[in-house]
Amino acid sequence: MIHQYEEKLLTLIDQMVETASDDELFAGGYLRGHISLSAANCELEGETSIEAMNAKVESSMSEAQSELNPADQLIVKEMWQQLQQQAV
């Protein structure tokens, strides 16, 4: 289930590429890393729920918060919200 969810999220990001702004492209690329890392961690830990995956992505982004300025943080968070809604 986690693998399917990861694929859905990554596909949604890929589909945005043609029409995405520079900010959206940045956020999509940034989120890809967090999504893939979180999916791998879920598999290693035997987690199978989408909720666990979402929590891991959010935790990963929170831990890396100092990498981004506040404006970029907002762009990434908004895209993450959109992806979660679209992937359900």
Side-chain angles (χ1 to χ4, degrees):
M1 183 170 217
I2 293 294
H3 182 69
Q4 291 171 323
Y5 184 58
E6 175 192 18
E7 288 299 314
K8 176 93 174 183
L9 291 168
L10 297 178
T11 298
L12 288 168
I13 291 171
D14 290 344
Q15 290 172 345
M16 287 184 216
V17 170
E18 292 179 23
T19 59
S21 68
D22 288 344
D23 286 342
E24 291 168 332
L25 289 172
F26 163 76
Y30 186 81
L31 281 168
R32 285 183 79 83
H34 288 284
I35 290 166
S36 295
L37 177 64
S38 298
N41 286 336
C42 282
E43 287 185 32
L44 284 172
E45 297 170 11
E47 294 282 355
T48 59
S49 73
I50 289 172
E51 292 80 14
M53 166 86 172
N54 288 343
K56 286 198 182 300
V57 171
E58 290 179 21
S59 175
S60 178
M61 289 185 340
S62 180
E63 289 172 18
Q65 197 169 18
S66 64
E67 295 176 348
L68 303 176
N69 66 44
D72 287 343
Q73 289 175 21
L74 184 60
I75 292 165
V76 169
K77 286 179 184 178
E78 287 176 356
M79 179 172 282
W80 173 235
Q81 295 291 326
Q82 290 173 5
L83 289 171
Q84 288 178 82
Q85 292 171 358
Q86 292 173 355
V88 176

